[in-house]
């Protein structure tokens, strides 16, 4: 059933996209001017910022996301706490741009994923899959006084999809190229690639999670600096170490890498338990923590190579790297080395903002939802058909 709040009016609107990823560093907020819908969508970024989580908030989020901590009280309070922080981020990006919050037409909020179970598991005698994002949209709607679209993943999962990756639909709208095959590699906590064959339709879009992005590197950087650093800024720590071939070979035996798409992964696979096992194996090989970080950095690039070589029938001629990992020149050099003959560049080299890309995507997904347009990419998520993702809080 198709219901729309927006109809044929193609006049530009102000919107905010919000994103908080698996790294749980903070809330990204992008203020955009957007007009049209579907392939007529036009977007212009006006302002972007990240509202960092406090160390205490990040630790609590990661503890809840581990899946073995917290009850209903914890989830309830975290949900509303993150809703308030999300509204703070909206007001902050408006202030940075000199725009009154009441001029914003709508907000698209991904929320903070605290659990994602794309593969069915037995629960009370039934196979159940699910996903849970926190950051109460009604709090944002009350503070901003406009519709808020949130909770995107669940509708795709109800249609048989994995609920991820979500951005391929927006990448199709904004990056498709009639002349060449384009790959878009996001490197947040998890890495995900979208392949847009030249002259493609939405049905041709192919995407999947490549494996860990920054998640393992971030955890190792924190261990190496005894908690003083949340991530390897500019790849400086990795640059001081050496990639260990034996440890890398062990990492490449990861069964996720050979699993066919559609597929998605997250902290439930590459969280603290994975890092503990990695460090334990590194010690048996006599590999230092610094060299383990260097090896993990190469591993992220090798995961991308493996995904492209195994599963992409059309190899990208150009790979555009976004997300926090695009700010790591050591990682970018590894990716270029892993994909000879492919032009590897960042959004910045195209005059765009890598850090803002995913937040902008949720403004676009919200815009599609408000027009009543299906906004998933079934070829990426495995859904049985297109659906309108997003719950609307008025």
């Amino acid at each position: 059933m198709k219901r729309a709040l927006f109809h044929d009016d193609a006049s530009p609107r102000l919107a905010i996209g919000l994103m908080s990823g698996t790294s749980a560093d903070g809330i990204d907020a992008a203020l955009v001017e957007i007009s049209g819908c579907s392939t007529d969508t036009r977007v212009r970024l006006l302002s972007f910022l990240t509202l960092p989580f406090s160390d205490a908030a990040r630790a609590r989020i990661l503890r809840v996301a581990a899946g073995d901590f917290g009850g209903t009280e914890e989830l309830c309070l975290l949900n509303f706490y993150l809703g308030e922080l999300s509204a703070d981020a909206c007001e902050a990006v408006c202030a940075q741009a000199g725009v009154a919050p009441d001029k914003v037409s709508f907000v698209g909020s991904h929320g903070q994923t605290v659990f994602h179970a794309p593969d069915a598991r037995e629960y009370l005698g039934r196979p159940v899959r699910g996903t849970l994002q926190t950051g109460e949209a009604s709090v944002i709607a009350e503070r901003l006084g406009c519709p808020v679209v949130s909770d995107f993943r669940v509708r795709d999962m109800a249609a048989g999809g994995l609920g991820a990756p979500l951005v391929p639909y927006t990448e199709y709208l904004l990056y498709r190229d009639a002349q060449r095959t384009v790959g878009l590699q996001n490197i947040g906590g998890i890495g995900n690639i979208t392949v847009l064959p030249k002259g493609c339709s939405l049905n041709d879009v192919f995407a999947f999670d490549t494996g860990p992005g920054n998640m393992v590197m971030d955890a190792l950087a924190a261990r190496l600096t005894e908690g003083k650093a949340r991530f390897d800024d500019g790849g400086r720590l990795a640059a001081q170490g050496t990639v260990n071939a034996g440890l890398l070979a062990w990492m490449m035996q990861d069964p996720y890498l050979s699993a066919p798409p559609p597929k998605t992964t997250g902290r439930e696979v590459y969280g603290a338990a994975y890092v503990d096992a990695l460090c334990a194996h590194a010690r048996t090989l006599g590999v230092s923590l610094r060299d383990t970080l260097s090896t993990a950095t190469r591993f992220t690039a090798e995961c991308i190579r493996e995904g492209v070589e195994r599963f992409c029938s059309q190899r990208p001629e150009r790979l555009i790297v976004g997300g926090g990992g695009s700010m790591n020149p050591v990682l970018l050099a590894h990716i270029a080395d892993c994909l000879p003959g492919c032009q590897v560049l960042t959004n910045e080299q195209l005059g765009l903002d890598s850090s803002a890309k995913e937040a902008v995507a949720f403004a676009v997904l919200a815009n599609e939802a408000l027009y009543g347009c299906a906004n998933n990419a079934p070829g990426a998520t495995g859904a049985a058909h297109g659906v309108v993702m997003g719950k609307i809080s008025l």
Side-chain angles (χ1 to χ4, degrees):
M1 184 178 297
K2 182 174 179 179
R3 297 188 180 98
L5 291 183
F6 295 166
H7 297 285
D8 296 329
D9 180 12
S11 59
R13 296 179 173 88
L14 295 181
I16 294 173
L18 299 175
M19 174 66 190
S20 179
T22 49
S23 294
D25 294 320
I27 299 172
D28 294 338
L31 176 67
V32 303
E33 182 183 79
I34 189 168
S35 62
C37 67
S38 190
T39 54
D40 293 326
T41 301
R42 298 292 179 269
V43 184
R44 183 166 67 95
L45 179 65
L46 302 179
S47 187
F48 172 78
L49 58 75
T50 299
L51 183 69
F53 290 135
S54 67
D55 289 341
R58 183 172 188 263
R60 185 64 63 92
I61 291 166
L62 295 180
R63 193 174 179 194
V64 171
D68 56 1
F69 167 79
T72 53
E73 178 184 11
E74 182 72 36
L75 287 172
C76 176
L77 295 179
L78 180 63
N79 183 42
F80 273 75
Y81 173 80
L82 292 176
E84 294 286 359
L85 288 188
S86 297
D88 290 347
C90 290
E91 292 175 347
V93 78
C94 286
Q96 180 172 281
V99 170
D102 62 7
K103 299 298 183 184
V104 174
S105 293
F106 64 91
V107 175
S109 177
H110 171 269
Q112 176 67 55
T113 299
V114 291
F115 203 73
H116 188 63
D119 298 318
R121 54 190 71 185
E122 192 278 332
Y123 182 76
L124 296 178
R126 298 189 67 159
V128 177
R129 305 182 310 130
T131 187
L132 181 62
Q133 283 72 47
T134 54
E136 181 52 54
S138 292
V139 174
I140 308 170
E142 181 65 23
R143 291 265 299 272
L144 271 288
C146 65
V148 178
V149 186
S150 64
D151 219 8
F152 292 90
R153 295 189 189 278
V154 293
R155 184 65 181 90
D156 181 83
M157 291 192 75
L162 299 175
L166 296 184
V167 295
Y169 179 84
T170 66
E171 290 169 329
Y172 165 70
L173 296 186
L174 304 177
Y175 287 88
R176 66 192 188 282
D177 191 322
Q179 304 303 319
R180 59 188 152 194
T181 296
V182 176
L184 294 117
Q185 178 70 45
N186 181 66
I187 305 177
I190 294 297
N192 53 274
I193 190 171
T194 300
V195 179
L196 307 173
K198 63 180 179 180
C200 66
S201 69
L202 180 59
N203 291 334
D204 300 320
V205 175
F206 183 63
F208 57 93
D209 286 353
T210 52
N214 300 314
M215 184 180 293
V216 176
M217 292 186 287
D218 289 351
L220 292 171
R223 293 189 185 201
L224 187 59
T225 62
E226 298 181 339
K228 294 177 183 177
R230 287 185 177 183
F231 61 97
D232 184 8
D233 191 4
R236 294 181 182 88
L237 296 174
Q240 296 168 13
T242 302
V243 175
N244 182 275
L247 182 59
L248 180 61
W250 179 83
M251 297 176 79
M252 293 301 296
Q253 295 172 17
D254 187 339
Y256 179 79
L257 301 185
S258 58
K263 61 177 181 174
T264 184
T265 190
R267 191 166 295 280
E268 69 280 358
V269 176
Y270 295 108
Y274 177 88
V275 176
D276 287 343
L278 172 63
C279 289
H281 190 72
R283 286 193 294 271
T284 67
L285 298 177
V287 179
S288 69
L289 190 53
R290 193 177 300 275
D291 287 351
T292 302
L293 173 57
S294 299
T295 305
T297 304
R298 178 71 186 199
F299 178 60
T300 290
E302 292 285 352
C303 289
I304 297 168
R305 176 196 59 75
E306 187 83 354
V308 168
E309 291 182 355
R310 276 183 180 265
F311 305 118
C312 296
S313 59
Q314 296 195 45
R315 184 186 178 101
E317 299 163 71
R318 164 182 278 188
L319 185 74
I320 304 169
V321 183
S326 68
M327 308 300 174
N328 184 334
V330 175
L331 176 57
L332 289 175
H334 282 311
I335 295 171
D337 185 53
C338 285
L339 297 175
C342 176
Q343 180 190 25
V344 177
L345 69 166
T346 65
N347 279 281
E348 280 68 22
Q349 290 171 274
L350 299 175
L352 303 171
D353 189 326
S354 291
S355 298
K357 179 174 176 285
E358 285 205 298
V360 170
F362 284 96
V364 175
L365 289 174
N367 185 64
E368 295 293 287
L370 292 167
Y371 271 102
C373 296
N375 55 359
N376 65 331
T381 67
H385 51 81
V387 295
V388 181
M389 301 186 299
K391 299 176 183 177
I392 302 173
S393 299
L394 298 174

